[in-house]
Amino acid sequence: DAGVTQSPTHLIKTRGQQVTLRCSPKSGHDTVSWYQQALGQGPQFIFQYYEEEERQRGNFPDRFSGHQFPNYSSELNVNALLLGDSALYLCASSLNRREDSYEQYFGPGTRLTVT
Amino acid sequence: AQTVTQSQPEMSVQEAETVTLSCTYDTSESNYYLFWYKQPPSRQMILVIRQEAYKQQNATENRFSVNFQKAAKSFSLKISDSQLGDTAMYFCAFWVSYIPTFGRGTSLIVHP
């Protein structure tokens, strides 16, 4: 049973560029959430996708956008990169049933460095 | 706004001993979920234990148990019989309406 996978593992970008991160959820899961984890901090919720729609969003600017595909995989896009966007980006998947939707399985993350 | 506070940035414990990690939160909501996550040095976050706010009974998962004090808005994690593999960052998280808030984490080191 494949767990949550993310690609790429590491990424180096320059300020002002755009980046796309990818996530495949755990088999059977239909909901994907994205988090930003700065060094030494806890994860911060960016947004959650269910049925190809953004269901909830945290306090992040519009430069952060996402997409969910019919196979439940998801992408996180960040435009106009800033140095402060350097972080570990975590994807988590869950099943959209009342008691299960809060039980998330996390991927290994993508380490983004902006120079 | 929801907040989660983990007041212990670092903790250490001897193997086989018991350690308690603290977490407090602030919310005006009455229906929510609380979680403890473990993030080992390899960085993949793992769910340790969950507690529904409407349940009075404290959750237990093997060596891990919580002390949930709803009136005090406190949710501590007790690890019994600590093992070397428990060395990790531990995050307390609070969920309301599908929006999670995480604490800043406690780094736990288990010494042999």
Side-chain angles (χ1 to χ4, degrees):
Chain A
D1 179 19
V4 180
T5 60
Q6 293 186 242
S7 62
T9 304
H10 296 89
L11 203 51
I12 299 175
K13 290 285 189 179
T14 303
R15 272 181 301 176
Q17 287 188 318
Q18 179 264 343
V19 68
T20 297
L21 310 182
R22 295 176 177 82
C23 171
S24 291
K26 178 179 168 62
S27 178
H29 284 183
D30 56 8
T31 303
V32 173
S33 301
W34 286 92
Y35 296 84
Q36 180 193 68
Q37 187 177 17
L39 199 61
Q41 304 288 322
Q44 282 199 288
F45 176 70
I46 302 175
F47 41 54
Q48 184 181 82
Y49 275 83
Y50 171 65
E51 291 189 334
E52 303 179 48
E53 296 283 335
E54 183 183 288
R55 177 159 67 177
Q56 291 287 356
R57 188 179 184 94
N59 189 25
F60 278 80
D62 292 345
R63 298 187 298 109
F64 290 78
S65 63
H67 189 77
Q68 185 179 34
F69 299 93
N71 67 353
Y72 308 121
S73 67
S74 178
E75 289 182 348
L76 164 65
N77 301 293
V78 187
N79 294 323
L81 284 167
L82 304 174
L83 295 179
D85 295 332
S86 295
L88 180 68
Y89 287 84
L90 297 171
C91 169
S93 72
S94 57
L95 184 61
N96 189 55
R97 287 192 313 216
R98 195 184 80 85
E99 287 299 310
D100 296 329
S101 60
Y102 298 96
E103 189 155 331
Q104 296 195 318
Y105 290 76
F106 282 81
T110 293
R111 172 70 65 188
L112 173 65
T113 302
V114 182
T115 61
Chain B
Q2 274 63 238
T3 60
V4 177
T5 302
Q6 293 181 249
S7 59
Q8 305 150 315
E10 295 179 355
M11 295 278 286
S12 65
V13 64
Q14 292 296 127
E15 198 174 6
E17 292 186 347
T18 296
V19 63
T20 299
L21 309 184
S22 67
C23 173
T24 58
Y25 58 93
D26 189 24
T27 182
S28 57
E29 301 288 336
S30 59
N31 189 24
Y32 49 87
Y33 294 79
L34 294 159
F35 296 83
W36 279 98
Y37 288 91
K38 169 185 177 181
Q39 189 175 40
S42 65
R43 84 186 177 200
Q44 194 146 359
M45 194 89 71
I46 303 165
L47 175 64
V48 174
I49 197 165
R50 65 184 266 178
Q51 174 80 44
E52 292 85 347
Y54 62 86
K55 290 185 178 178
Q56 293 188 343
Q57 186 172 3
N58 288 326
T60 299
E61 287 286 342
N62 301 314
R63 298 182 295 108
F64 299 89
S65 61
V66 300
N67 183 6
F68 174 45
Q69 302 288 329
K70 190 171 184 178
K73 297 180 181 175
S74 170
F75 182 61
S76 62
L77 174 69
K78 186 171 82 171
I79 306 174
S80 304
D81 186 25
S82 296
Q83 300 176 359
L84 296 179
D86 295 334
T87 292
M89 284 292 293
Y90 286 81
F91 294 97
C92 176
F94 168 89
W95 280 77
V96 171
S97 301
Y98 301 105
I99 297 180
T101 303
F102 281 72
R104 295 184 63 166
T106 295
S107 174
L108 176 67
I109 297 174
V110 180
H111 297 285

